[in-house]
Amino acid sequence: YPSHKVCGEFISSSGVAILNKWNIYPVPVYQARLHTSSCYLSFRFPIPAGSLSHYTLDAQLAHQIVEQGGILLTHTKVLDLVPASTKTDWHTLHLSTGETILAKHLLIATGRLPR
């Protein structure tokens, strides 16, 4: 982290709305075009989507976490996550460092999940 990735840097309109609340502003994407060997399909999004490099997005999310008083952990694996069972309960994370963390809120960055 942060690392540049060349995979899709497309953010849905609902994702853009969330990022905007955190003062992160992707480049607006108003339309898309899908190509095949014989034809293409163009369409406009009813609400603009966005695009932002992973490198920039990672850095801006990390900044927001720290700015809001959160703890940013890198080079650490979550070995087990026990989600909160109620809205007043806390999430429990068991880390590769041997630590256990109780957290009211989590922002989990996993990257692409296979299948």
Side-chain angles (χ1 to χ4, degrees):
Y1 152 84
S3 62
H4 179 70
K5 301 172 190 110
V6 294
C7 58
E9 295 174 338
F10 177 84
I11 301 166
S12 70
S13 59
S14 58
V16 169
I18 292 168
L19 292 175
N20 287 173
K21 289 179 184 179
W22 297 339
N23 297 315
I24 299 172
Y25 302 99
V27 174
V29 176
Y30 299 99
Q31 62 186 0
R33 179 179 282 189
L34 304 174
H35 291 265
T36 70
S37 59
S38 60
C39 65
Y40 67 88
L41 170 67
S42 292
F43 58 94
R44 292 187 63 78
F45 297 116
I47 300 170
S51 179
L52 194 61
S53 78
H54 286 285
Y55 192 81
T56 301
L57 179 59
D58 289 352
Q60 290 183 0
L61 287 173
H63 175 78
Q64 284 297 317
I65 290 167
V66 173
E67 188 78 15
Q68 298 298 319
I71 299 169
L72 178 65
L73 301 174
T74 60
H75 307 293
T76 304
K77 292 182 181 179
V78 175
L79 301 178
D80 187 38
L81 166 62
V82 180
S85 56
T86 67
K87 288 187 177 189
T88 58
D89 205 1
W90 293 66
H91 306 288
T92 304
L93 294 101
H94 300 281
L95 306 178
S96 59
T97 61
E99 296 174 274
T100 297
I101 294 178
L102 298 177
K104 191 65 177 167
H105 303 284
L106 299 173
L107 175 62
I108 301 172
T110 62
R112 181 177 176 267
L113 298 175
R115 295 185 208 123

